[in-house]
Amino acid sequence: MSVVTVRNLPEEVHRALKLRAAQHGRSTEAEIRKILEEAVRPEERVKIGSELAAFGQQLEGINLDVTRDKTPTEPAVFE
């Protein structure tokens, strides 16, 4: 897991983070992780897999004939 150091954090912000963490029953570090995660991965983000599944359901499914090509592949030539 990655480690991030935040320098020059104003004391007022640090106090607010500590208070917010206490209100949520978490450590300050856990609260900061939660805030960052929510900022970069919001709940309302579009999830491509879910969107594709919904699209397929709207079309009442797509019947694809997917057969594997068993022909041996030729090795790449880099000359």
Side-chain angles (χ1 to χ4, degrees):
M1 195 163 285
S2 299
V3 175
V4 175
T5 301
V6 179
R7 291 183 173 84
N8 301 320
L9 189 65
E11 189 59 37
E12 179 180 324
V13 173
H14 187 243
R15 279 194 308 270
L17 285 168
K18 286 172 62 172
L19 177 62
R20 180 176 163 153
Q23 291 170 339
H24 292 126
R26 292 189 271 259
S27 68
T28 305
E29 184 176 332
E31 186 68 20
I32 292 168
R33 276 194 305 269
K34 183 75 172 160
I35 292 167
L36 289 173
E37 186 175 333
E38 288 174 354
V40 298
R41 297 180 61 193
E43 286 292 323
E44 65 274 0
R45 74 185 190 276
V46 174
K47 298 176 183 173
I48 191 69
S50 300
E51 289 297 317
L52 288 172
F55 181 71
Q57 288 176 348
Q58 288 174 359
L59 297 176
E60 297 180 1
I62 299 174
N63 194 5
L64 299 176
D65 179 25
V66 181
T67 55
R68 183 176 176 195
D69 181 6
K70 296 183 181 182
T71 308
T73 58
E74 295 293 322
V77 178
F78 298 103
E79 295 179 356

